[in-house]
Amino acid sequence: MKKALILSITFIAFIGYALFTGVADASAKTIDLKFATGFSPKHTMQTKVFEPWAKKISEMTNGKVKVTFFPGGALGKMPDHYDLAEKGIADISYTLQDYTPGRFPLTSVFELPFMITSATKTSVAMWKTYEQFPEFQKEYGKVKLLALFCHPSGGFNTVKKPVRAVEDLKGLKFRTASPHVTEALKIFGAVPVNMPVTETYTALERGVIEGTVLPWEGNFVFKLAELLKYGTETEFYTMSMMVVMNKRKWQSLPEDVKKVIDETTGLAMSREAGRVFDDTNVPMRNLCVKKGMEVLQLPAGEKDKLKNLTMPLRDQWVKDMTSRGLPGQAILDAAVALTSE
């Protein structure tokens, strides 16, 4: 009887220990975050921002968090990447707002012509505007927003005719970048042609278009510098970008992990992404020059003409936002002030 009691106690203790260690092992299990992008694994944001960030949060959580990247559209097509995160197919996604037209109307204020100063300043302004306006925050209400940023200013890149003045744009067929850029090109007298950037090389080669609006990085990464001859620098436009996280995944994370992610994203990641884009601008320009492109600058007077011609687009944007019950004027004013800080 006594021996049976001892065996029972030993068995119960063993079971208790097994259960305890099982719980401990479960709590110590690595959290694997799936990070999807539609871009190449060698993309600037991937190698200079996201991979260092993944390493940092792993170190800060003592290996508790691991980020696994799925670049090059491994989990879905480029336009699907916001939905990948919202639906939980990916835990985190990097994408452009323009891939989901109409979903982020207030964010588009930063894509208006001549809004960008530098990628760093404009990216910081984007995040601060998001923090300031509840209506802006509502655009991202279905996900956990980790960062807002943009690329350096894009100018006019052409195959044959250099752009040195407003008049030079008339009649030229340009691959366009966004609805605001499309309207601006029309105002300048150019002919905007809508197409994915991935189709631009063939279109330039066949003469379907005569130029494109892109930053230097785009000219080089998509190999357009092999065909383009001139690149006219001006603060014409930028494209807004975002890093978003599945909301359910975010809510499931332990509080200490949430704290680490909050500390390393938001304004910090937005600023870093803008800074990295700015830092790569000159090297990318130099690579384009090596491919045979000539760098041109618009005279101050011509730049002012272009900017003044696009001012009605800002007024129209405010009217559009106001008609939706959104504080368009207040957000435009804040964006202009913040990008100038």
Side-chain angles (χ1 to χ4, degrees), residues 48-305:
K48 303 285 188 180
V49 178
F50 304 144
E51 288 177 5
W53 172 74
K55 182 180 178 182
K56 185 174 184 179
I57 63 169
S58 177
E59 291 172 350
M60 291 176 69
T61 60
N62 296 315
K64 193 173 183 177
V65 176
K66 176 188 175 186
V67 178
T68 302
F69 289 98
F70 294 85
L75 296 184
K77 296 178 181 178
M78 185 80 81
D80 298 334
H81 273 66
Y82 173 83
D83 289 327
L84 292 180
E86 183 183 319
K87 294 175 181 178
I89 299 167
D91 298 315
I92 303 172
S93 282
Y94 163 47
T95 188
L96 279 68
Q97 281 83 344
D98 268 33
Y99 289 148
T100 51
R103 192 172 288 182
F104 306 98
L106 291 174
T107 308
S108 71
V109 69
F110 292 96
E111 296 184 3
L112 287 165
F114 299 98
M115 280 293 294
I116 183 169
T117 45
S118 70
T120 306
K121 286 185 177 181
T122 307
S123 298
V124 168
M126 290 173 74
W127 188 263
K128 288 185 176 180
T129 306
Y130 163 78
E131 288 187 317
Q132 186 174 340
F133 292 92
E135 297 87 352
F136 204 122
Q137 295 164 22
K138 190 175 180 180
E139 293 189 350
Y140 302 90
K142 294 183 178 180
V143 292
K144 163 69 174 176
L145 182 64
L146 299 183
L148 288 172
F149 51 96
C150 64
H151 65 58
S153 59
F156 307 106
N157 311 285
T158 52
V159 176
K160 294 180 179 179
K161 184 180 179 181
V163 175
R164 294 188 173 94
V166 177
E167 293 296 317
D168 296 331
L169 290 164
K170 290 188 175 178
L172 285 180
K173 291 177 289 185
F174 275 90
R175 181 260 169 188
T176 187
S178 71
H180 297 312
V181 169
T182 297
E183 292 306 311
L185 288 172
K186 289 178 182 177
I187 292 171
F188 301 154
V191 181
V193 180
N194 286 292
M195 66 176 62
V197 68
T198 49
E199 296 177 12
T200 306
Y201 187 98
T202 302
L204 287 169
E205 193 174 37
R206 295 178 179 175
V208 175
I209 56 174
E210 299 161 282
T212 183
V213 287
L214 274 175
W216 289 110
E217 183 187 34
N219 291 332
F220 182 76
V221 168
F222 295 105
K223 300 183 179 181
L224 307 182
E226 297 174 1
L227 303 174
L228 296 165
K229 187 173 181 182
Y230 303 103
T232 302
E233 292 187 317
T234 183
E235 297 77 28
F236 178 38
Y237 87 103
T238 190
M239 298 287 283
S240 57
M241 306 178 191
M242 57 183 162
V243 177
V244 294
M245 186 173 189
N246 177 264
K247 206 165 189 178
R248 291 182 300 279
K249 186 67 176 184
W250 167 255
Q251 291 167 345
S252 74
L253 296 176
E255 290 303 316
D256 60 328
V257 172
K258 286 182 179 178
K259 185 173 184 293
V260 167
I261 291 176
D262 274 339
E263 288 175 357
T264 55
T265 58
L267 181 59
M269 181 180 277
S270 302
R271 180 187 287 114
E272 179 65 4
R275 183 195 67 78
V276 167
F277 263 137
D278 279 336
D279 286 351
T280 61
N281 199 42
V282 172
M284 288 293 176
R285 180 209 291 156
N286 293 341
L287 288 170
C288 289
V289 169
K290 285 184 179 179
K291 291 289 184 180
M293 289 188 71
E294 181 181 346
V295 182
L296 304 177
Q297 302 291 337
L298 280 178
E302 292 299 319
K303 191 183 295 185
D304 289 342
K305 284 182 187 178

